[in-house]
Amino acid sequence: MTEQEFVTKTKSLIDGLKSVCANYGLGNDASEFNIITQVFLYKYLNDKFIYEAKKADPKLAKAENFQKAYETLSESEQKFLLGRIGTKAAKMKPEQMISYIYNKNGAENFAAIHFDGTLRSLNADNEHLYAVKSEGGGKEKMFDDLSQYIRDVSQRDTFCKALLNKIVDVSFEKMFSEKYDFFSTIFEYLIKDYNSDSGGKYAEYYTPHAVARIMAAILVTEKDNGVKVYDPSAGSGTLLMNIAHAIGEKNCSIYSEDVSQKSANMLRLNLIINNLSHSIPNIIKGNTILSSSYLTEKFDYIVSNPPFKLDFSDYQTKLLSDTYKTRFFAGVPKIPAKDKDKMAIYLLFIQHIMYSLSDKGKAAIVVPTGFITAQSGIEKKIREALIERGWLRGVVSMPSNIFASTGTNVSILFFDKSADNEHIVLVDASKLGEIVKEGKNQRTVLTKKEEQKIISAMNDKMAIEDFSIVVKTEEIKAKNYSFSAGQYFEVKIEYIDISPKEFAEKMNGFENRLTSLFRQGNELDVEIQNQLKKLKYE
């Protein structure tokens, strides 16, 4: 089975779950997202457990019916099996498996006892593995009582049975053995209906995969072990997953913060799918800017695509106190007289990232392109600090519409505390890509060759005509700390040799053209005057 077949199968599963929600009056309801993601998670945990159990016990691997074979194991054999599986999969008892509760679908109070009851027990048995912490110290459970979203009690049993019918005959087992890396497509598909770059009090969004791949390939240029990777505005974790794959899942620990519970739940699922379950305890649902849970931590790699504009007027005054001055050294954006939702919160994220870097730290952050040339204000102070500290490695200005849901032009800043200050690479990739239509929006898509061109220019410190330039810190200071590649490109004037005869012919052509235009102008003047004389007042 190919990767595309797995993608197609999983999209079909998601569509099936959406259909069930719609049939029971929950289409586009606030609960729909929770139901789909939690049922998807349950299915994934079930199949991953079967896969790991078969690897750990040859008898289970050979059994024609896994469920029956698992149920016949003695209590001590089951404990031994769970011990061998360890943290590779969720701890699941025979009565928690999908096939077991599916066979109970005729039981009385099926939804409350067998469906929700199973999910509740999985919460309790696996809290130590999969719980997401909030900034207050509480834990966000994996599963809700999903039947409770159906207000008509008489429909709850049939609703839960319908959900089970969609997942019981689908198997992801082969995916684990063949290690298909299909997560990015699935997650974009799963959240595209629920997220937008400009939605709500706290915008939730996903980062284009090309941007994530480029950031990871430029940041991770050599083998590294035991490193800490952090995203202070993690969303569903696309950036974190890409950099973890580049470093190696076993070689890094993931840390994240995001104010959105939805994003925290999506990230948890993403970590489970990508063999990063050991980092789930490091997921924090909280306000990074106001009360980061990792102020005493320093990170080796930081990636971020923060919200650019957001209303944080509720706590802007608090950020001006002495407590925050070290972290927000360049200042806190003011509250505008109008449109509070246009407060430039991304400037706080940049400063937070600079504060959070370890001694050997590297970072990549997506910013609006206007940041790299702003002539004053907090933007200029941050750029000056990056140059004075010697941390700027380079900047890539991306094509417009690289994000499907926003027309904002973006650039990627690359920091490195070990940067070579004599070879800062500025890339203008704005002319790359092909425009494709996605629904009502247009989006620019980069080819793999174009992605590699950007990566090579940065990593090999290459100067390419009208594309990339390698500059020194002194040159950047001379340009008023501009990080725009275009301002450093050499202006070329092309001279063409022509004969005196050719010159005379060109000049004669210009003269004749002007004479013709003057004549037409005079004719129009006469016509206008004639028309005006015909006007009468009545």
Side-chain angles (χ1 to χ4, degrees):
M1 187 176 287
T2 66
E3 180 174 0
Q4 185 54 47
E5 287 176 304
F6 274 120
V7 170
T8 301
K9 180 189 288 188
T10 310
K11 286 183 176 180
S12 178
L13 172 60
I14 293 169
D15 287 340
L17 295 173
K18 286 185 177 181
S19 175
V20 172
C21 290
N23 290 338
Y24 284 83
L26 298 177
N28 295 319
D29 186 82
S31 60
E32 183 187 31
F33 178 85
N34 289 335
I35 294 167
I36 291 171
T37 54
Q38 290 180 31
V39 172
F40 188 88
L41 174 57
Y42 178 37
K43 173 62 179 170
Y44 190 92
L45 294 179
N46 180 89
D47 288 12
K48 184 69 160 63
F49 177 83
I50 294 174
Y51 172 74
E52 295 296 345
K54 287 180 177 180
K55 284 175 60 180
D57 189 331
K59 288 188 298 183
L60 292 176
K62 294 176 183 178
E64 289 186 17
N65 187 313
F66 176 88
Q67 182 64 38
K68 287 183 178 179
Y70 186 25
E71 289 178 18
T72 59
L73 293 181
S74 66
E75 186 176 343
S76 60
E77 286 175 322
Q78 289 182 21
K79 286 183 179 179
F80 181 72
L81 175 66
L82 294 178
R84 292 195 66 184
I85 293 175
T87 59
K88 295 176 184 175
K91 295 185 181 300
M92 297 189 72
K93 300 168 186 172
E95 63 270 22
Q96 294 171 328
M97 306 298 294
I98 289 174
S99 56
Y100 181 89
I101 62 172
Y102 177 78
N103 291 330
K104 296 288 183 180
N105 64 20
E108 190 176 351
N109 291 328
F110 171 76
I113 297 173
H114 294 286
F115 191 83
D116 287 337
T118 296
L119 299 183
R120 235 178 283 128
S121 64
L122 282 172
N123 280 334
D125 293 346
N126 294 278
E127 183 182 60
H128 65 293
L129 284 177
Y130 301 131
V132 171
K133 291 185 291 187
S134 66
E135 60 185 335
K139 291 187 176 181
E140 303 285 339
K141 59 188 179 183
M142 283 192 296
F143 300 110
D144 300 320
D145 286 356
L146 298 184
S147 70
Q148 302 303 306
Y149 291 120
I150 302 296
R151 293 182 181 178
D152 185 347
V153 177
S154 66
Q155 289 190 322
R156 288 178 179 175
D157 284 357
T158 56
F159 172 68
C160 292
K161 291 174 188 177
L163 293 176
L164 276 177
N165 285 335
K166 296 298 181 182
I167 62 176
V168 69
D169 293 325
V170 180
S171 175
F172 289 141
E173 274 189 72
K174 196 175 180 182
M175 182 196 74
F176 305 120
S177 60
E178 301 195 18
K179 296 184 179 179
Y180 284 129
D181 185 15
F182 75 116
F183 78 94
S184 60
T185 303
I186 297 307
F187 274 87
E188 179 169 326
Y189 186 74
L190 186 60
I191 65 178
K192 69 179 181 180
D193 292 338
Y194 305 103
N195 294 352
S196 68
D197 286 332
S198 57
K201 172 71 174 174
Y202 293 102
E204 298 168 275
Y205 45 85
Y206 54 84
T207 306
H209 310 309
V211 174
R213 286 192 295 266
I214 289 168
M215 290 168 72
I218 291 173
L219 278 184
V220 184
T221 56
E222 56 189 9
K223 289 185 177 180
D224 228 335
N225 289 301
V227 294
K228 294 180 177 181
V229 181
Y230 174 55
D231 188 338
S233 55
S236 61
T238 300
L239 293 178
L240 287 171
M241 297 308 102
N242 276 268
I243 194 168
H245 289 319
I247 297 169
E249 294 86 350
K250 294 181 180 179
N251 300 327
C252 64
S253 295
I254 300 296
Y255 295 78
S256 76
E257 294 183 280
D258 200 294
V259 76
S260 165
Q261 179 173 325
K262 184 195 300 181
S263 294
N265 288 335
M266 286 296 294
L267 178 54
R268 169 171 49 198
L269 180 51
N270 221 346
L271 290 172
I272 293 171
I273 287 177
N274 287 280
N275 297 318
L276 288 159
S277 297
H278 60 275
S279 291
I280 289 178
N282 304 329
I283 301 175
I284 301 294
K285 184 185 77 67
N287 189 322
T288 303
I289 299 304
L290 180 61
S291 53
S292 172
S293 296
Y294 291 123
L295 290 180
T296 59
E297 294 276 1
K298 298 297 178 183
F299 301 97
D300 306 303
Y301 292 92
I302 303 179
V303 287
S304 181
N305 176 17
F308 293 167
K309 306 287 186 181
L310 202 66
D311 177 9
F312 60 95
S313 58
D314 293 349
Y315 54 91
Q316 189 261 5
T317 303
K318 189 171 183 179
L319 298 180
L320 295 171
S321 68
D322 291 343
T323 306
Y324 294 88
K325 280 188 176 178
T326 301
R327 190 160 45 128
F328 303 127
F329 67 92
V332 176
K334 296 178 180 178
I335 302 174
K338 296 181 180 180
D339 300 326
K340 291 181 181 179
D341 59 332
K342 292 183 179 179
M343 296 175 71
I345 195 170
Y346 80 95
L347 296 172
L348 298 176
F349 277 98
I350 299 176
Q351 296 175 77
H352 175 74
I353 288 169
M354 293 172 70
Y355 175 86
S356 302
L357 282 173
S358 70
D359 291 338
K360 62 174 184 178
K362 301 178 181 180
I365 179 170
V366 180
V367 299
T369 293
F371 167 84
I372 67 176
T373 56
Q375 296 297 298
S376 60
I378 297 172
E379 296 92 333
K380 176 104 179 278
K381 290 179 182 178
I382 293 173
R383 298 202 313 271
E384 288 175 348
L386 288 171
I387 295 302
E388 299 301 331
R389 297 180 191 183
W391 292 3
L392 183 66
R393 180 181 167 194
V395 178
V396 177
S397 296
M398 300 297 289
S400 59
N401 295 316
I402 197 73
F403 288 83
S405 50
T406 177
T408 303
N409 290 336
V410 303
S411 294
I412 309 172
L413 306 181
F414 291 93
F415 312 158
D416 186 342
K417 284 198 175 181
S418 304
D420 175 5
N421 298 331
E422 299 300 304
H423 298 86
I424 299 169
V425 184
L426 305 178
V427 176
D428 181 3
S430 61
K431 299 180 182 66
L432 299 184
E434 176 185 356
I435 296 176
V436 297
K437 194 163 186 179
E438 293 188 353
K440 298 179 181 179
N441 300 315
Q442 286 188 331
R443 181 175 179 183
T444 302
V445 177
L446 297 173
T447 65
K448 290 294 177 67
K449 187 175 181 180
E450 289 173 327
E451 288 181 33
Q452 191 55 51
K453 182 179 181 181
I454 295 170
I455 294 164
S456 297
M458 283 292 300
N459 289 347
D460 299 336
K461 303 184 190 305
M462 295 168 53
I464 302 172
E465 185 174 345
D466 292 332
F467 179 74
S468 61
I469 189 84
V470 182
V471 297
K472 301 177 181 179
T473 54
E474 295 305 318
E475 294 176 80
I476 291 179
K477 291 178 182 179
K479 291 283 188 180
N480 200 28
Y481 295 91
S482 171
F483 292 174
S484 173
Q487 295 195 19
Y488 298 85
F489 291 151
E490 181 181 352
V491 178
K492 295 182 179 180
I493 301 176
E494 294 186 4
Y495 296 91
I496 302 174
D497 291 330
I498 60 175
S499 66
K501 182 181 178 182
E502 291 172 325
F503 177 76
E505 288 175 351
K506 282 183 177 292
M507 293 304 294
N508 188 52
F510 292 151
E511 185 177 343
N512 290 338
R513 177 65 176 155
L514 282 171
T515 300
S516 174
L517 291 172
F518 288 150
R519 184 175 60 253
Q520 292 176 30
N522 290 333
E523 291 172 355
L524 286 172
D525 288 342
V526 172
E527 178 65 21
I528 290 170
Q529 290 177 22
N530 290 335
Q531 293 297 327
L532 287 173
K533 290 176 181 177
K534 295 177 182 179
L535 293 176
K536 295 181 179 179
Y537 176 75
E538 294 181 0

